[in-house]
Amino acid sequence: IDINTDDFDAALFTTLWPAPAATVTRRWLSQNLPSGWMRDAKLSFLIGHDSDTGRYELQDINGNWRLHDTTLSWSDHLPPFTNLNADLSIDNEKFIANITNANFGGMSVQHGNLTISPIVADAMQQAALSISIKGGLSEAMDHAKASGLTTLANIDMSEVTASGEAEMILQAAFPLEETIDTLIAIKKLDATISNGSFTNLPGRLDVDNAELVVAFDKERSNVSGTASF
């Protein structure tokens, strides 16, 4: 089966994707890619019949395409990526989306990468997401709290409000066939905060003129930099 198209509705494309071909990836895309446009698509599927199981199975897949003005979600607790543009490729080993730009809950995606693997194999498919985001510190704090990240360097941030600018690099990994726990999925989060202000910190502290570097992973969280109390 060959698919070649210059301009195509992304949601319709996932509907037309052959059912036996990379079924988990197909289902995940159909659930998480509700709108947008595909361009310059060239895809080839080879599907064979397994006489032992009586089922049709994907034997080979290869192709590439571009997404334009697309909506992509990955977590029930976080906003979707909107106005997303990306270059996509797929083969028997992996599906790759190189994100060139997008919006994320009021913040701007600078660049990113989503990888799903394996494609033609019996193993559970895993997704890995790495994304660079820039925008308001208030929006960044809201997204962190929504994901369940409410403590940094042993400081309770659940009631803190903030303003300023933030640049973040988020790395996450999760299996496609399970409900995603965002806090578990997030493996690493690095942020640089500029001209930051924080109110309602524990002890009723307020902080201004914050120039901070924040590092969070499964083993530790650390905040360093300068600020005025």
Side-chain angles (χ1 to χ4, degrees), residues 39-109:
R39 291 182 173 170
D40 303 326
K42 296 181 180 180
L43 281 163
S44 176
F45 304 89
L46 178 60
I47 299 170
H49 183 264
D50 188 324
S51 58
D52 293 332
T53 63
R55 297 184 304 178
Y56 288 93
E57 296 180 350
L58 177 67
Q59 296 178 343
D60 185 76
I61 185 171
N62 191 276
N64 55 76
W65 65 103
R66 294 188 295 129
L67 287 179
H68 175 70
D69 197 18
T70 300
T71 297
L72 175 68
S73 60
W74 70 280
S75 168
D76 292 337
H77 301 290
L78 292 172
F81 297 104
T82 58
N83 303 116
L84 179 146
N85 295 312
D87 297 319
L88 284 70
S89 64
I90 192 169
D91 59 26
N92 295 342
E93 297 296 326
K94 57 189 176 293
F95 164 88
I96 299 175
N98 288 313
I99 301 169
T100 53
N101 60 276
N103 293 322
F104 176 70
M107 303 184 75
S108 175
V109 175

Side-chain angles (χ1 to χ4, degrees), residues 14 29 58 151 177:
T14 57
L29 288 174
L58 177 67
T151 302
E177 292 191 286

Side-chain angles (χ1 to χ4, degrees), residues 9-209:
D9 181 87
L12 179 59
F13 170 76
T14 57
T15 301
L16 296 177
W17 184 306
T23 54
V24 175
T25 303
R26 174 185 183 273
R27 182 168 59 247
W28 190 86
L29 288 174
S30 66
Q31 293 171 346
N32 293 280
L33 195 71
S35 65
W37 292 93
M38 289 178 50
R39 291 182 173 170
D40 303 326
K42 296 181 180 180
L43 281 163
S44 176
F45 304 89
L46 178 60
I47 299 170
H49 183 264
D50 188 324
S51 58
D52 293 332
T53 63
R55 297 184 304 178
Y56 288 93
E57 296 180 350
L58 177 67
Q59 296 178 343
D60 185 76
I61 185 171
N62 191 276
N64 55 76
W65 65 103
R66 294 188 295 129
L67 287 179
H68 175 70
D69 197 18
T70 300
T71 297
L72 175 68
S73 60
W74 70 280
S75 168
D76 292 337
H77 301 290
L78 292 172
F81 297 104
T82 58
N83 303 116
L84 179 146
N85 295 312
D87 297 319
L88 284 70
S89 64
I90 192 169
D91 59 26
N92 295 342
E93 297 296 326
K94 57 189 176 293
F95 164 88
I96 299 175
N98 288 313
I99 301 169
T100 53
N101 60 276
N103 293 322
F104 176 70
M107 303 184 75
S108 175
V109 175
Q110 306 297 294
H111 56 82
N113 177 277
L114 172 67
T115 301
I116 297 172
S117 64
I119 301 301
V120 180
D122 294 330
M124 179 180 289
Q125 291 181 311
Q126 300 281 335
L129 174 69
S130 178
I131 201 89
S132 175
I133 308 169
K134 182 178 181 180
L137 179 57
S138 177
E139 288 81 2
M141 288 280 292
D142 288 344
H143 299 331
K145 292 176 184 178
S147 71
L149 181 58
T150 58
T151 302
L152 275 176
N154 297 318
I155 299 173
D156 182 5
M157 305 294 289
S158 57
E159 301 298 325
V160 174
T161 57
S163 63
E165 296 296 318
E167 295 187 41
M168 303 190 302
I169 298 177
L170 169 70
Q171 296 180 16
F174 49 91
L176 290 195
E177 292 191 286
E178 297 180 4
T179 301
I180 297 170
D181 184 316
T182 309
L183 188 56
I184 294 176
I186 295 174
K187 303 304 180 185
K188 188 176 182 182
L189 176 63
D190 295 322
T192 302
I193 296 169
S194 303
N195 195 30
S197 295
F198 299 88
T199 60
N200 206 32
L201 285 160
R204 299 186 179 278
L205 287 175
D206 294 340
V207 171
D208 294 310
N209 303 316

